Amino acid sequence: MFKKILKSVMLITLVIIGMLVITYLLFTNFYPSFGGDISKEQQLVYSESKQYKNGKFKNTNPVPKELSFLETMKLTYTFFTKKVPNARPKADLVPTKIDSASIANYKGEARMLWFGHSSFLLQIDNKNILLDPMFGKVAAPLEILGANRFNKEFPLEVEKLPEIDAVIFSHDHYDHLDYKTILSLKDKTKQFYVPLGVGEHLRAWKVPNNKISELDWWQSKQLDNLKLVCTPAQHFSGRKLNNGQSTLWSSWVISSKTENIYFSGDSGYASHFKTIGDKYGPFDLALMECGQYNKMWPDIHMMPEETAQAGVDVKAKRIMPIHWAGFKLALHEWTDPVERVTKRAKALNLDVITPTIGQQIMVKDTTNNYTQWWKNL
């Protein structure tokens, strides 16, 4: 009798597991926000990259560590059960609103507008460039799977943005690359610049292939008088369980005749920052990842003190902490990144700017008259 019951339980368990696997495969293959998959033909092309080995992109250092099933379960349990005080602002962050006409008609010195987290509009050399534009409500394939972003509103709604000369992406994670955002931008964007493989997501979302430029580390493209360089980062990629590291991740250098900007994307601290600084620095402004860190994943996200040191390494005249004030994707207080990076940067004699969402950022301005606005919330 016991054996029959055990067999029945095992059979039911296998049926449930099978149904879950089938549901997952159907969902990820047919729901568009997961993006595209890399074909065998593309894998052959990517195999020419020094970063591509055995069907996956790799960091220069042997990280991140591949977690066992039990380690993954422990990490997931900790993330969803641990209570973090002050993990979110008490109320939604209210951005500084921007007049669409002032954006469309701007012809002045290089400036940037922060949309929160890692998203920017850069106006430089009469060009409109978006960096990691992510205007979605949650950093997940479905809204029910993620917590709302800290700012419901934006300085300027997507539909009011002018024609975009270039969109630059650092990698394919949901808090940087968003399906609905691409749908809203693809018809008003002239060209998308992405690391190797990320273009497949764009193609899956009906962005024309001639609008997509895929670059490996250290490759560059000229956009009229601007130079765009795809530079290294130490991170990882993937939009579903079975396509991790199938696309490359990167940082970017953006240079005009008079300005030099560094955008770190997501990265753990490593020697690539000094290499980039030696090759392309100094930078007028470096947008440096600072948030969503934890001692459980130190190789893929920097601690704030490392962010400040990375700013020194790339030879930045000023840094701006990014990847914070947007989403709760880690277990620290929401103001912890900016408090710690400003403290460490002061010790290193490094200037840090802390604009509010939507505040104008002049790339070469050295007055640094930004406030500690988060302390009043």
Side-chain angles (χ1 to χ4, degrees):
M1 183 67 178
F2 176 76
K3 288 183 177 179
K4 288 184 178 180
I5 293 174
L6 182 60
K7 286 182 179 180
S8 297
V9 171
M10 291 178 64
L11 180 60
I12 291 171
T13 301
L14 289 173
V15 169
I16 292 173
I17 292 173
M19 291 177 65
L20 289 173
V21 171
I22 292 171
T23 301
Y24 169 78
L25 291 174
L26 289 172
F27 182 46
T28 55
N29 284 330
F30 292 100
Y31 194 72
S33 67
F34 287 98
D37 291 307
I38 305 302
S39 67
K40 291 183 178 180
E41 291 76 16
Q42 288 170 304
Q43 288 181 0
L44 289 174
V45 174
Y46 300 151
S47 65
E48 297 178 7
S49 169
K50 292 181 180 179
Q51 281 62 248
Y52 199 75
K53 297 178 182 178
N54 301 321
K56 291 187 177 183
F57 286 99
K58 307 286 185 181
N59 286 298
T60 301
N61 297 317
V63 296
K65 174 190 172 185
E66 292 287 343
L67 298 180
S68 68
F69 177 77
L70 288 177
E71 288 173 322
T72 301
M73 291 299 100
K74 181 182 177 181
L75 180 60
T76 303
Y77 177 80
T78 301
F79 188 85
F80 285 103
T81 59
K82 185 175 181 179
K83 300 295 182 182
V84 181
N86 196 33
R88 299 177 59 90
K90 294 177 182 178
D92 288 329
L93 300 182
V94 180
T96 301
K97 288 292 186 177
I98 304 163
D99 178 64
S100 58
S102 69
I103 294 294
N105 300 322
Y106 186 74
K107 303 295 182 184
E109 295 181 9
R111 70 173 182 177
M112 305 190 76
L113 301 168
W114 188 35
F115 286 81
H117 201 58
S118 299
S119 301
F120 289 86
L121 171 65
L122 167 62
Q123 296 191 290
I124 183 171
D125 202 36
N126 297 328
K127 302 287 186 188
N128 295 312
I129 298 174
L130 288 172
L131 306 180
D132 276 3
M134 194 291 187
F135 304 130
K137 187 177 180 180
V138 303
L142 283 174
E143 289 190 0
I144 61 172
L145 298 178
N148 291 350
R149 69 185 306 140
F150 295 173
N151 54 305
K152 281 184 180 178
E153 298 181 350
F154 293 100
L156 183 68
E157 298 307 315
V158 182
E159 58 270 16
K160 294 183 179 179
L161 283 169
E163 183 179 46
I164 303 299
D165 296 285
V167 170
I168 296 174
F169 282 111
S170 62
H171 63 298
D172 71 0
H173 284 159
Y174 288 98
D175 55 323
H176 297 260
L177 179 65
D178 177 66
Y179 167 60
K180 290 184 178 179
T181 300
I182 295 299
L183 294 187
S184 66
L185 289 174
K186 65 179 184 177
D187 292 332
K188 64 166 59 182
T189 299
K190 293 181 180 179
Q191 196 72 19
F192 292 84
Y193 297 89
V194 300
L196 293 177
V198 177
E200 186 58 29
H201 299 310
L202 303 183
R203 284 185 281 270
W205 300 332
K206 308 304 180 186
V207 175
N209 192 55
N210 62 0
K211 280 189 173 187
I212 303 169
S213 295
E214 292 191 31
L215 283 75
D216 197 356
W217 291 351
W218 304 118
Q219 289 184 336
S220 64
K221 286 282 187 179
Q222 204 70 26
L223 178 61
D224 292 341
N225 293 324
L226 298 178
K227 185 176 184 178
L228 311 177
V229 188
C230 181
T231 45
Q234 183 170 284
H235 200 53
F236 69 112
S237 67
R239 293 178 72 83
K240 49 189 176 182
L241 295 177
N242 59 341
N243 70 351
Q245 285 64 268
S246 62
T247 65
L248 187 59
W249 46 93
S250 72
S251 57
W252 289 87
V253 171
I254 305 166
S255 300
S256 70
K257 291 181 178 179
T258 53
E259 296 96 4
N260 201 22
I261 300 165
Y262 178 66
F263 176 56
S264 74
D266 282 5
S267 182
Y269 181 75
S271 61
H272 65 277
F273 289 114
K274 189 176 187 308
T275 303
I276 292 167
D278 290 342
K279 189 174 180 67
Y280 290 107
F283 294 98
D284 298 301
L285 178 62
L287 311 171
M288 303 299 294
E289 186 228 56
C290 187
Q292 322 318 321
Y293 45 78
N294 191 280
K295 63 182 180 181
M296 291 186 285
W297 52 87
D299 297 318
I300 56 173
H301 286 299
M302 291 185 282
M303 297 296 178
E305 293 76 17
E306 292 175 318
T307 296
Q309 182 59 53
V312 173
D313 291 354
V314 298
K315 301 180 181 179
K317 298 175 183 177
R318 299 181 302 157
I319 67 168
M320 175 181 168
I322 65 174
H323 209 241
W324 76 289
F327 299 97
K328 178 188 176 297
L329 302 173
L331 302 173
H332 55 68
E333 296 187 14
W334 80 276
T335 57
D336 191 61
V338 70
E339 292 283 359
R340 287 171 59 180
V341 73
T342 51
K343 180 180 179 180
R344 181 56 183 159
K346 185 176 181 180
L348 294 173
N349 198 30
L350 175 66
D351 285 340
V352 179
I353 65 170
T354 56
T356 60
I357 296 175
Q359 184 176 359
Q360 177 176 269
I361 306 162
M362 303 305 296
V363 170
K364 300 196 78 168
D365 181 22
T366 58
T367 57
N368 202 1
N369 59 352
Y370 302 96
T371 65
Q372 295 181 323
W373 54 270
W374 60 91
K375 291 183 179 292
N376 301 319
L377 301 177

